[in-house]
Amino acid sequence: MHGDRGLTGRRGPGHGERLLFSIALVVVSLLWITRDMATWATATCAVGAAGGAVGVCYFGWRYLRSRENSR
C-alpha cells in the first residue's frame, strides 16, 4: 500500500521544484519586507525570507547531488 499513488498517479515535488518554491518564498518575503507594515508583519516576512534561504541551501544542495548521481 505504501507505493499506491492514488487516482492521479502523480509523484510529490522533486528537489528542483522545492528549490524553485524556496527561491520564490525568499523573493516574495523580501518584496513584502520593503512595505511599511506593522512590526509583527515585518518580523513574519523576515522569518519567511530566512526560512526560504535555508530551503534554497538545502534543496539546492540536494538537487545538485541528485543531478550528480544521475550521470
Side-chain angles (χ1 to χ4, degrees), residues 25-48:
L25 177 61
V26 170
V27 169
V28 169
S29 294
L30 290 178
L31 284 174
W32 273 100
I33 209 168
T34 61
R35 305 287 300 167
D36 187 27
M37 299 183 292
T39 305
W40 66 268
T42 303
T44 303
C45 290
V47 169

Side-chain angles (χ1 to χ4, degrees), residues 1 6 9 16 22 28 36 40 45 49 57 64 67 70:
M1 261 329 211
S22 297
V28 169
D36 187 27
W40 66 268
C45 290
C57 294
L64 290 175
R67 298 279 296 177
S70 68

Side-chain angles (χ1 to χ4, degrees), residues 12-29:
H15 299 304
E17 293 166 321
R18 291 178 181 180
L19 173 64
L20 291 177
F21 291 147
S22 297
I23 291 170
L25 177 61
V26 170
V27 169
V28 169
S29 294

